[in-house]
Amino acid sequence: MHLLAGGLNDAFAGDERGEQAVSTLQRVASARFLIDTRLPDPETGSLAKPGPAEGNLAQRPLVEIMRYCEEYVLTCTLEVWRGEDQARISYRRGELVGTTVGGSDAPNDFPKSWAGRRGSSSWFCPCP
């Protein structure tokens, strides 16, 4: 089963797909599961080829990463840094819920102040 943004994206059981596959899987008493958290591919949204979990702000600007979190309805914490400067941007279901700079709550215009900065970035999507 592939879940995306908390909903069923696709399911496979033998030759069956979708809801029919889910029904088949629910009847298997000894079924086991493995959770593999993946970020959607930024170009296609596919989970078959996972998206990158880190990168360089010069190659992928912060505003682009923020749009990605919103578009794919991610619940995650985006961590960005440049030298000693460090910030965290938190999303819940694709909505911006908080920003922190240097351990302190950041003003609402935080993204604008970091928009043109070069540096490194890393983001993490915790599995609920």
Side-chain angles (χ1 to χ4, degrees), residues 15 29 39 49 63-64 66 78 84 98 103 105 115 118 124:
D15 293 333
L39 293 170
K49 176 187 166 209
V63 69
E64 207 176 288
M66 293 175 73
L78 174 64
E84 296 296 315
D105 287 341
R118 296 184 186 273
F124 307 95

Side-chain angles (χ1 to χ4, degrees), residues 57-122:
L57 294 176
Q59 296 169 339
R60 192 169 180 201
L62 181 58
V63 69
E64 207 176 288
I65 300 167
M66 293 175 73
R67 270 193 231 115
Y68 168 81
C69 293
E70 294 164 5
E71 181 178 345
Y72 291 107
V73 195
L74 299 180
T75 296
C76 63
T77 298
L78 174 64
E79 292 187 359
V80 292
W81 62 92
R82 180 182 148 220
E84 296 296 315
D85 296 334
Q86 187 170 9
R88 294 169 61 95
I89 306 168
S90 298
Y91 284 90
R92 181 170 175 81
R93 294 185 210 138
E95 296 290 325
L96 180 65
V97 294
T99 56
T100 307
V101 176
S104 300
D105 287 341
N108 290 337
D109 65 349
F110 158 76
K112 288 183 246 172
S113 68
W114 272 70
R117 292 188 175 204
R118 296 184 186 273
S120 298
S121 65
S122 179

